[in-house]
Amino acid sequence: MSLSIRSSVRGCRSLLLLIMGCGSDLETQTHEHQTVLAAPAAADFPAVSDALEVSCGTLDCHGQVGRNLRVYGYGGLRLSAPDTPAGDPTTDLEYLSSYVSLVSLEPETLSEVAILQADPNQLSLVRKTRGIEHHKGGQRARTGDSLDRCIVLWLTGKFDPDPCADVVNAPRPNSQ
Amino acid sequence: MHRSGQPCLLCHDEAGNAPPFSVAGTVYIDAASLKPIEDVTVNLIDPLGGTFSSVTNCAGNFFVRPREYSLQGPIWVNMQREGVFREMDTPVYRDGSCAGCHGDPIGPASAGHVFLIDDPEVEEVPVSRCR
């Protein structure tokens, strides 16, 4: 998976840079007429995406094409037919599409968080997830819990797969 | 039959013109048919394990009123009848209408209608009491 994701992501980075009319340096720099953007590592994103899928990506939330943040994957929105919800596992292209959706939300701020270690709370993704900013889906994580660490560590270049796996493997509640 | 398979809360919402529901939907016999099935117990389970149950009528419909149960996602859903048990792969977070996500036809953005029997050759189709 990683090879195809990485090669696709290289193209993605190029696309972002191209859109912004940027140079080749992946650091956040504001020049006279251009801004250079960067994004967290795409190679690590599938584990983050898996956690987002179960926490945010159901069909009644971010598993919808009308959302700015679209999360594609197994349990929710599929990128293309014949894939259906709860059908085949999440595809590489779906991981990439979710990645592009996420890093395109606030690219300048994301660059500052990813490269300059700016406060992750500057990102609406983090504020909404933590319930700091109004979120129709409510507070989905508390600072320091598994979902929060999964997202924030990845955003800040300190990716740790364990909290992401904890989110994915959390047991279903048992009926009382 | 009262609008089986349609998103119930479009009308049955606090802002709608029909008695409000918090969760409602239609259960069909299997994935291939649009024949509704009655007497299916639908269980809504919150993160702490608290459970509320509702049973489908002869239209295959079940509904839960806000005064009985308020949808505070994530809610895990399963259903059962006569030894057949089926559960959703993912929880419900926001939409109390089953058909909001389970509309027909099944496709990349829809899980297809809700059904009880996954494999008619393995699971016995219950005899209907409804005519």
Side-chain angles (χ1 to χ4, degrees):
Chain A
M1 167 202 303
S2 297
L3 185 59
S4 58
I5 282 268
R6 284 194 192 103
S7 58
S8 300
V9 166
R10 269 188 221 111
C12 166
R13 278 184 178 165
S14 301
L15 178 62
L16 285 172
L17 293 168
L18 186 63
I19 289 171
M20 301 302 292
C22 303
S24 58
D25 187 2
L26 278 178
E27 290 184 359
T28 301
Q29 301 173 14
T30 301
H31 300 287
E32 189 173 356
H33 298 295
Q34 60 184 7
T35 298
V36 180
L37 301 175
D44 299 328
F45 184 70
V48 179
S49 188
D50 287 343
L52 292 176
E53 280 182 35
V54 299
S55 305
C56 320
T58 55
L59 289 169
D60 59 344
C61 295
H62 289 277
Q64 296 181 3
V65 294
R67 298 306 178 98
N68 289 332
L69 173 59
R70 294 183 195 172
V71 179
Y72 295 91
Y74 163 80
L77 178 65
R78 307 311 303 262
L79 186 62
S80 56
D83 288 325
T84 58
D88 290 332
T90 305
T91 67
D92 285 356
L93 201 53
E94 287 174 327
Y95 283 129
L96 178 62
S97 299
S98 298
Y99 176 83
V100 170
S101 173
L102 192 156
V103 302
S104 302
L105 290 170
E106 296 170 300
E108 295 89 350
T109 308
L110 181 63
S111 297
E112 293 174 3
V113 171
I115 302 300
L116 303 178
Q117 302 295 297
D119 182 359
N121 274 335
Q122 291 187 28
L123 290 166
S124 59
L125 169 73
V126 175
R127 291 198 308 274
K128 286 174 177 283
T129 304
R130 288 176 171 174
I132 297 171
E133 180 176 319
H134 175 68
H135 179 218
K136 279 190 176 180
Q139 182 183 23
R140 296 266 57 88
R142 290 180 168 78
T143 303
D145 72 10
S146 294
L147 177 61
D148 187 72
R149 284 189 293 131
C150 173
I151 296 171
V152 171
L153 291 175
W154 174 72
L155 288 172
T156 54
K158 301 163 192 156
F159 170 69
D160 180 353
D162 291 343
C164 302
D166 289 343
V167 173
V168 173
N169 297 323
R172 297 173 70 124
N174 291 317
S175 177
Q176 289 179 343
Chain B
M1 301 289 239
H2 180 67
R3 296 182 178 271
S4 303
Q6 298 185 23
C8 309
L9 272 67
L10 279 182
C11 301
H12 291 276
D13 181 70
E14 297 287 359
N17 56 5
F21 298 156
S22 53
V23 182
T26 308
V27 181
Y28 296 92
I29 288 185
D30 57 41
S33 81
L34 286 177
K35 186 175 181 184
I37 181 169
E38 77 285 2
D39 296 336
V40 175
T41 300
V42 179
N43 301 304
L44 313 172
I45 305 167
D46 68 33
L48 299 178
T51 303
F52 186 87
S53 299
S54 181
V55 179
T56 62
N57 59 23
C58 282
N61 291 339
F62 76 95
F63 53 88
V64 180
R65 300 184 190 281
R67 67 171 182 268
E68 299 171 318
Y69 187 86
S70 175
L71 175 59
Q72 300 287 335
I75 299 295
W76 295 86
V77 182
N78 65 47
M79 57 187 175
Q80 55 194 341
R81 179 181 160 174
E82 296 174 19
V84 178
F85 178 82
R86 184 121 290 112
E87 62 184 359
M88 284 179 60
D89 282 351
T90 59
V92 176
Y93 281 95
R94 288 180 52 196
D95 194 343
S97 295
C98 298
C101 303
H102 287 273
D104 279 325
I106 189 171
S110 176
H113 63 251
V114 179
F115 59 89
L116 179 69
I117 303 294
D118 188 34
D119 185 350
E121 294 185 2
V122 176
E123 298 166 327
E124 187 174 351
V125 178
V127 176
S128 175
R129 65 173 170 79
C130 302
R131 293 181 179 274

